Amino acid sequence: MAKLIVADDHPLFRNALINAISNTFSTKATIETDSFESTCQALEQHPDTDLLLLDLHMPGNCGFLGLIQLRKNYPSLPIVVISASEELDVVKRVISFGASAYIPKSANPAQISEALKEVLAGELWVPASMQKALQEQASQEEDLDLAARVAQLTNQQYKVLYYLTEGWLNKQIAYDLHISEATVKAHITAIFRKLGCTNRTQVVIQAQRLTLEPPVNKALSGHEQD
């Protein structure tokens, strides 16, 4: 059984949420708050709180700032955000700022119960309907970030990167590009820095995420050393 704090400034929704929780989830105590200040006071008065259900839009809670502050002050307290918004960007930020779950106000009692059980078991929870979209969004953002990093490479560094993905040795790269091995090593060091990698294996893995195509033969036959 868990002690909960339900923080929401709308009495009707707060009561509905508490009823939904009590019908499907065992609690030993439920404390109600209607502002960010009263929530902070409740947390001070009840240091044994097991779970906080937090509305992002109640008085005193400036968007995500309240969540960030609570996460800093109570690093081990699971925080479940309850919100009417179902925008993926909001959900993504809520989780990245330290919430253990995101429950839309449209959730049914069974979903609420599932979320609370998952969170108390140490897991993260978002509605199943959002999970795939969030994963795809995260993947797209990572790829866009990587693409921006690859765009920082010079033409010569890109050629070296391609040969790295093909498993070529430094001396092979140097021979084919008509440059010294020292220059190849300098390019590789620059590639590591720009892609945020520390070894060749990481570089290859990163490059394969974008399925890099080989440079055209004309470019490979040149003597450019930028």
Side-chain angles (χ1 to χ4, degrees), residues 9-20:
D9 63 319
H10 294 93
L12 291 178
F13 178 77
R14 197 167 63 237
N15 291 336
L17 179 59
I18 292 171
N19 288 334

Side-chain angles (χ1 to χ4, degrees), residues 62-96:
C62 301
F64 301 106
L65 298 182
L67 170 61
I68 295 170
Q69 186 73 10
L70 290 170
R71 181 76 290 147
K72 181 187 74 173
N73 294 339
Y74 302 94
S76 62
L77 174 67
I79 300 175
V80 173
V81 166
I82 309 285
S83 176
S85 173
E86 297 190 25
E87 295 181 16
L88 287 177
D89 184 61
V90 173
V91 181
K92 182 190 69 176
R93 290 188 183 189
V94 161
I95 299 300
S96 66

Side-chain angles (χ1 to χ4, degrees), residues 105-177:
K105 289 190 174 182
S106 60
N108 59 48
Q111 288 177 309
I112 295 172
S113 177
E114 176 191 348
L116 301 189
K117 289 176 181 176
E118 287 286 314
V119 169
L120 288 175
E123 303 292 335
L124 292 176
W125 189 93
V126 295
S129 60
M130 296 181 177
Q131 290 174 5
K132 184 177 180 181
L134 285 174
Q135 291 169 353
E136 290 176 350
Q137 187 179 70
S139 177
Q140 289 172 355
E141 289 182 353
E142 289 173 1
D143 285 348
L144 288 173
D145 177 67
L146 176 57
R149 291 172 179 269
V150 170
Q152 296 175 13
L153 301 178
T154 66
N155 291 338
Q156 194 80 326
Q157 289 165 2
Y158 175 80
K159 296 172 192 175
V160 172
L161 173 61
Y162 169 68
Y163 284 130
L164 290 179
T165 66
E166 293 292 298
W168 285 35
L169 301 175
N170 288 2
K171 63 181 180 181
Q172 293 174 305
I173 299 173
Y175 178 81
D176 202 74
L177 294 181

Side-chain angles (χ1 to χ4, degrees), residues 165-203:
T165 66
E166 293 292 298
W168 285 35
L169 301 175
N170 288 2
K171 63 181 180 181
Q172 293 174 305
I173 299 173
Y175 178 81
D176 202 74
L177 294 181
H178 306 288
I179 57 179
S180 69
E181 286 191 51
T183 300
V184 172
K185 290 179 180 178
H187 284 320
I188 291 174
T189 298
I191 291 168
F192 285 1
R193 185 183 70 252
K194 291 179 180 180
L195 299 191
C197 299
T198 58
N199 58 57
R200 295 168 78 109
T201 300
Q202 290 179 354
V203 167

